[in-house]
Amino acid sequence: DEAVTACNTGIFLNHGQCCCASSRTFVQAGIYDKFMAKLVEKAKMRKLGDPMHTGTEQGPLVDDIQFKRVLNYIDIGKKEG
């Protein structure tokens, strides 16, 4: 659970818009499925919206360049499984 939280923080810190955002996480094969299920659930619970509203964890991306970069990372992740 602590590793899931650390991984989630690593990728979403600064909304994933910083040069130090995690792009890879090494997970022991024996716990991979359980780890991924928890990580996906945590990501799905992330509250998106207006950053001025209480409870919002992530607002919009800074510009179209960053938006396209994030979409590219999502595509890479899908291709890599």
Side-chain angles (χ1 to χ4, degrees):
D1 290 339
E2 288 180 39
V4 168
T5 297
C7 182
N8 187 65
T9 300
I11 193 59
F12 290 117
L13 181 70
N14 256 355
H15 315 297
Q17 300 181 70
C18 63
C19 61
C20 61
S22 304
S23 61
R24 298 286 188 274
T25 300
F26 295 98
V27 180
Q28 184 178 345
I31 63 164
Y32 179 82
D33 291 336
K34 185 176 178 181
F35 180 89
M36 287 304 298
K38 287 184 176 191
L39 187 61
V40 167
E41 186 60 33
K42 193 164 191 71
K44 285 181 178 180
M45 291 172 37
R46 189 167 187 80
K47 186 167 186 224
L48 308 178
D50 185 336
M52 301 305 286
H53 292 162
T54 303
T56 297
E57 295 178 282
Q58 184 166 341
L61 297 172
V62 68
D63 59 24
D64 192 53
I65 293 170
Q66 188 64 23
F67 178 70
K68 288 175 182 172
R69 183 175 292 137
V70 169
L71 289 178
N72 183 52
Y73 282 130
I74 291 169
D75 285 340
I76 290 169
K78 286 178 178 179
K79 288 175 187 170
E80 292 181 0

